Amino acid sequence: MIALALTTLRHRKAGFAGAFVALLCAAALVTACGMLLETGLRGTLAPERYAGAPVIVAGDQFERRAETDDDGESKVKAKALAELRWIPEKLAGALAAQPGVEKVVTEVTFPVGDALGHGWESAALTPFTLKSGRAPQKAGEVVVDARFSGGTLTAGGRTYRVVGVTEQALPSQNTVFFSTAEARRLAGRPGQVSAIGVFPQVPVKAEGAVVYTGAERGPVEFRDGDNARIRLTSIGGAMGGTSLLVAILVVVGTFALSVQQRQRELALLRAIAATPRQLRRMIGGEALVVSAIAGTLGAAAGMLLGGWLIGRFVALGAVPGNLQLVLSPFPPAAGLLATLLAAWAAARVSARRTSRIRPVEALGEAAAEKAGLPVVRLVAGFAALAGSVVLTVLLSTLTSESASSPVTMLTALAWSVAVALLAPLIVRAVVALPVRLPGTAGFLASRNVRAGTKRMASLVAPLSLMIAMTCTILFVQTTLGAAAQEQVGDGVRADFLLSPGASAEAVRQVPGVRAATEVLRTSIRIDLDRVGAQAVSAEGLERTLDLGVVAGSMAGFGATSVAVSTKAAEWYGVGVGDRLALSLGDGTPAELTVAAVYTRGMGFSELTLPYALVSKHVDDPRAGLLVAGGSRAALEKAAPGIAVLDQAQAAESGQVNAAVNYVAMGLIIGFCAIAVVNTLAMATSARTRELALLRLVGTTRRQVLGMLRQETALAVALAAVLGTFGAAVTLMAFSLGMTGSVLPSVPPLSYAGVIAAVALLALAATVIPARMALREAPAEAIGGRE
């Protein structure tokens, strides 16, 4: 049977080209997602700032908690901190006294514009050396790195004179050095340092701190590295799972169409005594040969695709540039294995019915389409429909993005699976309607559709899948963005928003300014859950910000207060007057009293904390300012170099940045598009004899093409209804859970663009192969020349 499979492959190259393309793309997607996943799990961050220090002593950059599982075993869970945990400066003396230590170097790190500031004493950690000038000695002097140009630098409202330029410049960060005393003042952490370098590399003990060596130094320097790795793991896992499910659905549909087109051939083999087992082995062998070649090429392409994806995430700022891409044989092996299994299973399932019936029945079924669906497919279709309903109900109850995102894609995919399985019944019900298409082409199209409902169903399935997935991916982001923007627009009472860096006290002295509220974004942890938070100053808050308070009041918001959104109140079971235990960004524990519960958490974070408390526990304490009153000119004069936005611009700044999700999930949309082109081209190419016969009986070339266009238009229209329904139900459930409104935000032009793009793609994939087929003489086409 393997020899027969190879023979059929040699003589039916065109018939297997569609399956080959689908499998190649599936292998590439799975491999690329595997690379993201593996890089997130095993990728390392190369140190830059600490590259010259063999040992770095710093704070524990994880929040840890001991928990006991159901079996009574105790284990410690760890989550990365959002901000740097500082350590006591006196620890340097204890380290210097330990055996083998020749030198210790302390460092403080703080933001200076778009650069990081340090004391000159820590230059040896890289090491930095002077190219020209001298080291800073006074409070008004700085040394800049080799990228800087200019003779002065402004920071913290003060102008510094550049007295030296370093030989080096770090790839991922700009660096400015101050005198030791000035650096300590600007850092604002008396008696604390961000890290201590130890020379040479010897075993040291650091009570209350952690010792980092080798590759461990990178995550200390790039504290968002662990979050980036988690993000990559999450994207790789979610995207890989979705890609695999979509790939299986597409491959099954492709092989089902391929087997459907070969029913005469398979029936003839049954008639000449081929057993059902032999047919299944032959078709399985064909699938394995095609998938082995396609999977190997697709896995190689997936390696390139994975590298491109990492590069895009770096460009978008979602992943540090020095996160090393992990290359191993596991992702391509997984892509190849997944492709082999999917192809083999799809081929065997697709040929199951033809191979089991008797030879005479097989020939009869090849000649005329049999009404109804196999019982197994019918049961599977209704099971998928029931599962879709269950997932939709579940999705409507999920109120956090991290929980709802994977369920959203799974729900849309479940509706698509149900449509694919039940498509023949749906098409048969639609074509039974008393609708007449215009002209001779319309007459031929309607007759063809009624006679070939299974073929039409095989076209509708990938079209509806593409529409459902595309609409879901696009409009999940617009729904979140519109809800957040609406809340920001309704909640901002201030006339102006000043970007971080302005002095609140200076702005409050501007004539006409009634209030200036400091606003700082951070994240905290509650029971190790990461929660977005904002910190605000209470002075004049009622004039600049309206959080939509529904319980309690912000009037008494003080240094030990916290306000929570309605979602956060539900998540953690707290209300006004309750105490809420949490960990600030640098791991410092705090227990605050709930002063208010508000509704606009999507636009203004789920928690609101006092600015005076939070500013001491973040890497960058510079806050934006919401300003009520005053004039743009006066504010620009009081805060030179600071962007001043009006109320409309402030509302726009609250939109959700969805670029990373678009890049990741856009590949699935691309795969669906390839599947659409693939399926339509296969279906059209397989009708060469039918088109030639129409030409022989007098149908003009124009009428044949018109017939195909109308058939395609009908398939697109039906797919638009089914795909839109699946996406609409999914989006409504998502919107209900996330925003409280059952109506998602769907820009009409964007939706029309999706349908138009699918229609153009479908028409091109139908008309181009048809034109090529019609170039051949009708008699030769009927004769079977390939």
Side-chain angles (χ1 to χ4, degrees), residues 507-527:
V507 170
R508 290 181 182 124
Q509 302 304 315
V510 173
V513 171
R514 299 187 303 275
T517 300
E518 293 156 302
V519 181
L520 177 66
R521 298 280 180 164
T522 185
S523 64
I524 56 92
R525 290 202 180 271
I526 302 176
D527 294 331

Side-chain angles (χ1 to χ4, degrees), residues 386-464:
S388 303
V389 173
V390 171
L391 285 172
T392 303
V393 174
L394 173 63
L395 181 60
S396 67
T397 66
L398 301 177
T399 57
S400 67
E401 191 174 358
S402 60
S404 63
S405 291
V407 179
T408 301
M409 300 310 302
L410 187 59
T411 303
L413 190 57
W415 283 109
S416 298
V417 170
V419 167
L421 290 171
L422 300 176
L425 292 182
I426 299 172
V427 171
R428 191 170 292 115
V430 171
V431 299
L433 297 174
V435 178
R436 297 189 61 175
L437 299 176
T440 303
F443 174 82
L444 292 173
S446 60
R447 290 298 184 273
N448 265 328
V449 170
R450 287 189 175 93
T453 54
K454 288 183 179 179
R455 181 177 61 204
M456 176 63 71
S458 68
L459 304 182
V460 169
L463 287 168
S464 62

Side-chain angles (χ1 to χ4, degrees), residues 72-151:
E73 296 183 2
S74 180
K75 58 182 179 181
V76 177
K77 287 188 175 181
K79 297 290 185 179
L81 296 175
E83 313 285 351
L84 175 66
R85 176 178 275 159
W86 289 52
I87 57 176
E89 186 173 8
K90 63 182 181 181
L91 182 59
L95 290 169
Q98 294 186 25
V101 175
E102 297 177 359
K103 180 176 67 171
V104 297
V105 176
T106 59
E107 175 182 69
V108 294
T109 301
F110 52 93
V112 181
D114 61 352
L116 291 178
H118 313 277
W120 177 250
E121 77 284 354
S122 63
L125 296 177
T126 304
F128 276 97
T129 57
L130 284 171
K131 179 181 180 180
S132 62
R134 59 177 175 80
Q137 299 171 353
K138 298 185 294 186
E141 299 176 344
V142 294
V143 168
V144 296
D145 65 24
R147 269 196 298 267
F148 185 86
S149 60

Side-chain angles (χ1 to χ4, degrees), residues 43-373:
T44 58
L45 288 160
E48 292 179 2
R49 173 86 185 108
Y50 298 146
V55 178
I56 292 294
V57 177
D60 186 359
Q61 302 307 311
F62 288 87
E63 179 79 3
R64 303 179 190 274
R65 177 163 301 181
E67 295 183 354
T68 303
D69 57 21
D70 296 337
D71 298 328
E73 296 183 2
S74 180
K75 58 182 179 181
V76 177
K77 287 188 175 181
K79 297 290 185 179
L81 296 175
E83 313 285 351
L84 175 66
R85 176 178 275 159
W86 289 52
I87 57 176
E89 186 173 8
K90 63 182 181 181
L91 182 59
L95 290 169
Q98 294 186 25
V101 175
E102 297 177 359
K103 180 176 67 171
V104 297
V105 176
T106 59
E107 175 182 69
V108 294
T109 301
F110 52 93
V112 181
D114 61 352
L116 291 178
H118 313 277
W120 177 250
E121 77 284 354
S122 63
L125 296 177
T126 304
F128 276 97
T129 57
L130 284 171
K131 179 181 180 180
S132 62
R134 59 177 175 80
Q137 299 171 353
K138 298 185 294 186
E141 299 176 344
V142 294
V143 168
V144 296
D145 65 24
R147 269 196 298 267
F148 185 86
S149 60
T152 61
L153 179 142
T154 301
R158 180 173 180 178
T159 300
Y160 295 83
R161 184 167 62 95
V162 175
V163 296
V165 178
T166 66
E167 184 77 35
Q168 300 80 14
L170 300 177
S172 303
Q173 52 193 292
N174 298 321
T175 310
V176 178
F177 291 102
F178 297 80
S179 65
T180 300
E182 182 68 2
R184 296 296 195 272
R185 184 188 73 80
L186 291 173
R189 299 289 188 101
Q192 292 185 307
V193 293
S194 54
I196 301 172
V198 178
F199 298 83
Q201 183 170 345
V202 293
V204 294
K205 295 181 180 180
E207 186 176 350
V210 179
V211 178
Y212 300 92
T213 59
E216 298 172 343
R217 298 168 297 166
V220 180
E221 181 180 348
F222 297 95
R223 292 180 301 284
D224 193 46
D226 285 306
N227 292 328
R229 290 174 55 185
I230 293 171
R231 191 180 300 116
L232 273 184
T233 302
S234 176
I235 291 174
M239 183 179 160
T242 305
S243 299
L244 187 58
L245 291 174
V246 171
I248 291 173
L249 186 60
V250 168
V251 169
V252 168
T254 303
F255 268 100
L257 181 60
S258 177
V259 171
Q260 179 184 335
Q261 294 170 353
R262 298 173 60 194
Q263 281 193 356
R264 290 180 182 275
E265 173 190 324
L266 298 177
L268 181 60
L269 288 174
R270 287 286 289 121
I272 60 174
T275 65
R277 183 169 180 268
Q278 288 174 326
L279 281 186
R280 288 194 296 270
R281 286 184 59 194
M282 182 192 73
I283 295 172
E286 294 169 350
L288 288 176
V289 172
V290 173
S291 60
I293 300 172
T296 302
L297 296 176
M303 299 287 282
L304 299 176
L305 180 61
W308 178 84
L309 277 175
I310 294 289
R312 290 303 307 151
F313 293 154
V314 170
L316 292 170
V319 174
N322 61 333
L323 178 62
Q324 297 176 355
L325 178 65
V326 176
L327 297 176
S328 79
F330 296 110
L336 177 58
L337 180 61
T339 305
L340 289 171
L341 292 176
W344 182 82
R348 294 291 290 261
V349 169
S350 301
R352 181 173 178 272
R353 186 180 184 188
T354 302
S355 64
R356 291 185 63 180
I357 58 180
R358 292 189 294 271
V360 175
E361 292 175 345
L363 286 170
E365 185 168 339
E369 185 176 281
K370 187 175 180 180
L373 286 179

